[in-house]
Amino acid sequence: MSAEIIFVILLDEGVDVWRPVRAEHLQGDEYRILDQPRGDGETWQFLPGSRVICERRELSDAWVLAAAHEAGL
């Protein structure tokens, strides 16, 4: 299994802050966030183990895959 990088928004930051995280591509736009350390005080919108649907999003003048919502919702 090879990990890819997706972005997850951090909650309670006051401004939009996106964290790059390692994820396993499952199918289509669906990814599973892999276990990995989180920064002290960081609250991720989606935790490791979550299955998420990603959408392309422009962040800092680059297009990335960003977790939009949990898979199956």
Side-chain angles (χ1 to χ4, degrees), residues 29-31 33 45-46 50-55 66-73:
D29 295 332
E30 187 175 341
Y31 291 78
I33 298 172
Q45 182 181 20
F46 305 106
S50 298
R51 288 179 27 232
V52 296
I53 301 299
C54 289
E55 298 174 347
H69 56 85
E70 287 192 68
L73 296 181

Side-chain angles (χ1 to χ4, degrees), residues 9-19 40-44:
I9 197 161
L10 300 181
L11 304 176
D12 303 323
E13 293 293 319
V15 297
D16 285 351
V17 176
W18 293 86
R19 166 73 58 220
D40 289 340
E42 287 185 351
T43 304
W44 295 7

Side-chain angles (χ1 to χ4, degrees), residues 19-33:
R19 166 73 58 220
V21 300
R22 293 179 306 113
E24 172 189 13
H25 181 241
L26 299 175
Q27 63 182 6
D29 295 332
E30 187 175 341
Y31 291 78
R32 183 178 60 84
I33 298 172

